[in-house]
Amino acid sequence: MSQTDLLVARQALRRPLVTLPQRPSSQIAILSCMDARLNVFAIFGLAEGDAHVIRNAGGCVTGDAIRSIALSQQVGGTREVVLLHHEDCAAVPDPETDLRRCLGRLRSTFLLPHTDAIRGFLYEAGGVLRETHPEE
């Protein structure tokens, strides 16, 4: 039995898709690294339906990520964006520097209707969440 078969078998024991509105209750979109060690919901104390969570390698602001956040804002009603990078990242050699760059890129894009509430955080190995500001 493959690992995918195990996932599918476990899913059969779960409840169906949550009957919540598609718009997140917090009006927040989170762009995070896809690292399996990061439980974005636990880090921020979120429940299903609280936020749109977008993940990629490094939590980097790529064209795909910008388009996903734009859709989240235009269709999902989100107004705030949180970027989450972490120490010991395999995709980004210097996560804090990359986070600063990503904040600048996201704040300067013309594709997002709302860029006034974009914040970035570095999740440290000890479990501390530290806010990081864009390069000036």
Side-chain angles (χ1 to χ4, degrees):
M1 181 178 270
S2 73
Q3 292 300 313
T4 302
D5 291 332
L6 290 173
L7 288 177
V8 172
R10 285 194 309 235
Q11 189 284 325
L13 304 174
R14 303 285 185 230
R15 58 188 167 91
L17 188 64
V18 178
T19 56
L20 295 171
Q22 287 183 344
R23 291 173 164 247
S25 60
S26 68
Q27 296 185 320
I28 295 176
I30 299 170
L31 174 59
S32 171
C33 182
M34 66 185 199
D35 190 313
R37 299 171 297 172
L38 288 181
N39 182 339
V40 176
F41 286 86
I43 290 169
F44 291 110
L46 298 169
E48 293 167 324
D50 285 348
H52 282 164
V53 178
I54 302 153
R55 298 180 79 150
N56 67 20
C60 297
V61 175
T62 61
D64 285 344
I66 291 172
R67 287 187 294 278
S68 293
I69 295 168
L71 182 65
S72 174
Q73 289 186 349
Q74 294 164 359
V75 177
T78 59
R79 301 285 308 210
E80 298 181 38
V81 179
V82 169
L83 301 182
L84 179 64
H85 279 40
H86 66 96
E87 291 183 339
D88 191 31
C89 182
V92 179
D94 184 353
E96 187 162 7
T97 299
D98 188 70
L99 179 55
R100 291 180 193 283
R101 184 190 59 76
C102 286
L103 282 165
R105 181 169 186 210
L106 198 56
R107 287 180 175 176
S108 65
T109 185
F110 64 90
L111 297 173
L112 299 183
H114 308 290
T115 59
D116 56 322
I118 298 173
R119 295 170 67 183
F121 296 88
L122 182 67
Y123 192 65
E124 297 177 346
V128 174
L129 194 63
R130 183 169 44 87
E131 187 160 11
T132 300
H133 301 282
E135 295 174 333
E136 301 296 326

